[in-house]
């Protein structure tokens, strides 16, 4: 059943020792979860946001304080919004942009004002994506971009001066099919990433086994109405048929790119230079043919790469990165909770947090800086259907 939210006037309630701040605008509320806990940040504490699916008990987006020295977390607030399966904070940490993943006209991009100290979010507005099942969202300069999985498209939204989103300035629709008749029946855009030099946008299509390339116009904004994206040359990089490109990440030095393929379960390593990708290696992350590989990240020191697998042997594949040529070698494998769709590494590199959707938990693992291997420190964060974790700058 589709929920309907009515606009409400903001309500403030004061108690003797507890202050709960709630805001409800067009289906979004934000309230403190632990009012007796201090919200002052310390040197070792990060502000963390968690996106979820809301088909169960989750209300939407949750904020926490996470201590990157001891691995503990403190709940801060929650914001009511449906299916915020992916989100991203703005570069200055003042705004948060999140998708509402639906396979109908409810598919949307949402803009929030964010109070980093208190962890509270206030919905500014929502805009339809014009493509079904938006599953990835990024902010770049004066624009927000979504990858729309079932819509087979990417959508561009200019950002207004108050941080809200204007209607789409461009919806780029893709065409084609792949060799897997069940999962590559039509374009499935799964990820959009800005290259380290800031000049290009890469868009991964799980269906056609391609990474599409676009040239970024950094001057594009709501006032001049210039196009933000222009087709690059080449227009796309082709992967092996049936690979299913999902997520892409870059090495800290910007010299290499790494692609996790959902269907083949492989990681492809590339040399990256000025918008070009040169394939240098393919290595298996999924060795049981689960066809559910998901997320990929590199440790801040650039020494290790991690890739998650779902559906069978759910866990994280761990690789060494050779410092001279970017090539990968296997370092280990860490079993996790069920369906590790997304994970993140703390900026200091000490912890890796895994969003286990079907175990309804975020697991916290300590990283060995020398071996890259992971140890569960039993500091689980309980939340229903977590699927996205982000730290706020």
């Amino acid at each position: 059943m589709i929920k309907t939210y009515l606009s409400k006037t903001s309500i403030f309630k004061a108690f003797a020792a507890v202050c709960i701040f709630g805001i409800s605008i067009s289906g979004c509320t934000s309230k403190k979860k632990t009012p007796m806990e201090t919200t002052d940040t310390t040197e070792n504490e990060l502000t963390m946001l968690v996106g979820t699916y809301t088909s169960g008990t989750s209300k939407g987006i949750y904020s926490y304080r996470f201590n990157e020295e001891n691995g503990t977390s403190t709940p801060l607030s929650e914001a009511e919004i449906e299916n915020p399966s992916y989100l991203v904070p703005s570069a200055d940490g003042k705004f948060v942009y999140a998708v509402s993943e639906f396979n109908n006209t409810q598919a949307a991009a949402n803009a929030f004002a964010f109070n980093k100290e208190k962890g509270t979010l206030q919905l500014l507005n929502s805009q339809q994506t014009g493509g079904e099942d938006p599953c990835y969202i990024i902010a770049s300069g004066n624009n927000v971009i979504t990858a729309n999985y079932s819509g087979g498209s990417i959508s561009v939204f200019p950002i207004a001066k108050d941080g809200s989103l204007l209607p789409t300035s461009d919806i780029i629709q893709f065409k084609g099919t792949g060799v897997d008749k069940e999962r590559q029946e039509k374009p499935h855009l799964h990820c959009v990433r800005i290259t380290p030099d800031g000049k290009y946008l890469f868009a991964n299509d799980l269906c056609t086994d391609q990474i599409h390339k676009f040239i970024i116009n950094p001057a594009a904004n709501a006032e001049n109405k210039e196009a933000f994206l222009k087709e690059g040359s080449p227009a796309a990089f082709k992967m092996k048929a049936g690979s299913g490109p999902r997520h892409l990440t870059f090495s800290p030095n910007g010299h290499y790119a790494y692609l996790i393929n959902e269907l083949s379960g492989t990681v492809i390593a590339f040399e990256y230079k000025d918008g070009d990708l040169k394939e240098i290696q393919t290595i298996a992350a999924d060795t049981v043919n689960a066809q559910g590989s998901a997320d990929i990240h590199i440790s801040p020191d650039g020494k290790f790469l991690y890739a998650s697998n779902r559906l069978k042997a759910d866990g994280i594949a761990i690789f060494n990165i050779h410092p001279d040529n970017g090539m990968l070698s296997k370092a280990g494998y860490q079993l996790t909770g069920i369906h590790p769709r997304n994970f993140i590494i703390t900026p200091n590199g000490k912890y890796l947090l895994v969003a286990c959707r079907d175990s309804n938990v975020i697991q916290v693992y300590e990283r060995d800086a020398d071996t890259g291997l992971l140890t569960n420190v039993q500091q689980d964060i309980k939340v229903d259907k977590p699927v996205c974790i982000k730290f706020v700058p």
Side-chain angles (χ1 to χ4, degrees):
M1 182 176 291
I2 299 174
K3 298 180 182 178
T4 302
Y5 294 95
L6 301 176
S7 298
K8 299 179 181 179
T9 305
S10 298
I11 301 173
F12 296 84
K13 296 182 180 180
F15 297 88
V18 180
C19 178
I20 299 176
F21 177 41
I23 297 178
S24 179
I25 303 178
S26 300
C28 175
T29 63
S30 183
K31 63 184 180 180
K32 289 176 67 174
K33 296 263 295 182
T34 54
M36 298 304 292
E37 297 283 350
T38 177
T39 56
D40 294 332
T41 57
T42 67
E43 182 180 352
N44 298 324
E45 288 188 328
L46 306 169
T47 303
M48 184 174 78
L49 297 170
V50 176
T52 66
Y53 284 120
T54 56
S55 57
T57 60
S58 173
K59 294 182 179 179
I61 300 172
Y62 294 84
S63 64
Y64 298 83
R65 200 78 72 212
F66 184 83
N67 189 305
E68 64 174 341
E69 283 302 321
N70 62 28
T72 60
S73 60
T74 303
L76 294 178
S77 184
E78 60 189 36
E80 216 171 284
I81 197 79
E82 291 189 281
N83 284 351
S85 63
Y86 206 86
L87 55 84
V88 64
S90 61
D92 61 9
K94 294 181 179 179
F95 303 95
V96 173
Y97 300 98
V99 302
S100 282
E101 186 179 335
F102 284 101
N103 191 22
N104 54 35
T105 56
Q106 281 185 285
N110 308 286
F112 297 84
F114 185 60
N115 184 316
K116 185 176 179 180
E117 285 68 36
K118 297 180 180 179
T120 53
L121 298 108
Q122 176 182 351
L123 183 68
L124 298 176
N125 76 328
S126 302
Q127 296 286 359
Q128 289 184 330
T129 54
E132 296 82 6
D133 290 319
C135 61
Y136 207 98
I137 188 166
I138 60 172
S140 176
N142 298 308
N143 295 274
V144 162
I145 308 96
T146 63
N148 309 316
Y149 182 78
S150 297
S153 61
I154 59 177
S155 303
V156 179
F157 304 85
I159 301 174
K161 291 182 178 179
D162 65 354
S164 63
L165 295 176
L166 298 173
T168 53
S169 60
D170 199 5
I171 299 176
I172 300 173
Q173 185 69 51
F174 299 91
K175 297 180 180 180
T177 59
V179 295
D180 188 320
K181 300 306 179 184
E182 290 185 2
R183 300 182 65 180
Q184 293 183 312
E185 80 290 359
K186 65 177 182 177
H188 290 307
L189 273 292
H190 218 309
C191 174
V192 282
R193 289 297 306 266
I194 305 298
T195 56
D197 50 28
K199 296 179 181 179
Y200 305 93
L201 179 142
F202 288 162
N204 297 352
D205 186 350
L206 185 145
C207 164
T208 61
D209 299 308
Q210 295 183 99
I211 299 176
H212 297 279
K213 174 183 172 181
F214 295 90
I215 301 168
I216 288 174
N217 175 10
N221 58 40
E223 284 73 30
N224 60 34
K225 300 186 184 305
E226 294 180 8
F228 178 64
L229 299 175
K230 182 176 69 172
E231 186 177 275
S233 178
F237 302 97
K238 186 72 174 176
M239 305 302 116
K240 183 180 178 180
S243 294
R246 184 177 169 100
H247 284 184
L248 184 73
T249 193
F250 293 92
S251 60
N253 63 14
H255 296 164
Y256 302 99
Y258 300 88
L259 172 71
I260 184 71
N261 292 291
E262 180 169 345
L263 302 182
S264 67
T266 58
V267 174
I268 302 177
F270 304 89
E271 290 181 352
Y272 173 77
K273 186 176 181 181
D274 195 24
D276 285 327
L277 292 173
K278 179 184 177 182
E279 185 174 337
I280 57 175
Q281 183 190 19
T282 299
I283 190 169
D286 164 23
T287 59
V288 297
N289 194 33
Q291 296 190 310
S293 296
D295 205 9
I296 185 167
H297 295 285
I298 294 173
S299 58
D301 60 11
K303 294 181 178 180
F304 298 96
L305 180 142
Y306 300 84
S308 69
N309 297 306
R310 306 163 298 168
L311 306 182
K312 295 178 184 178
D314 293 26
I316 307 286
I318 306 167
F319 300 90
N320 297 291
I321 302 177
H322 195 288
D324 295 332
N325 57 22
M327 301 276 280
L328 303 175
S329 60
K330 292 186 177 181
Y333 197 91
Q334 177 64 53
L335 295 173
T336 66
I338 305 171
H339 208 93
R341 180 182 173 96
N342 178 263
F343 65 95
I344 195 170
I345 302 170
T346 55
N348 68 357
K350 187 172 183 179
Y351 292 100
L352 184 150
L353 287 74
V354 185
C356 302
R357 188 194 70 183
D358 294 350
S359 293
N360 300 314
V361 69
I362 295 172
Q363 294 177 321
V364 181
Y365 292 87
E366 187 170 3
R367 291 183 58 252
D368 186 306
D370 295 322
T371 66
L373 300 182
L374 304 173
T375 301
N376 191 337
V377 295
Q378 306 301 325
Q379 295 284 358
D380 289 359
I381 302 169
K382 301 297 177 83
V383 59
D384 195 63
K385 293 183 173 57
V387 288
C388 181
I389 312 170
K390 294 287 184 179
F391 294 123
V392 182

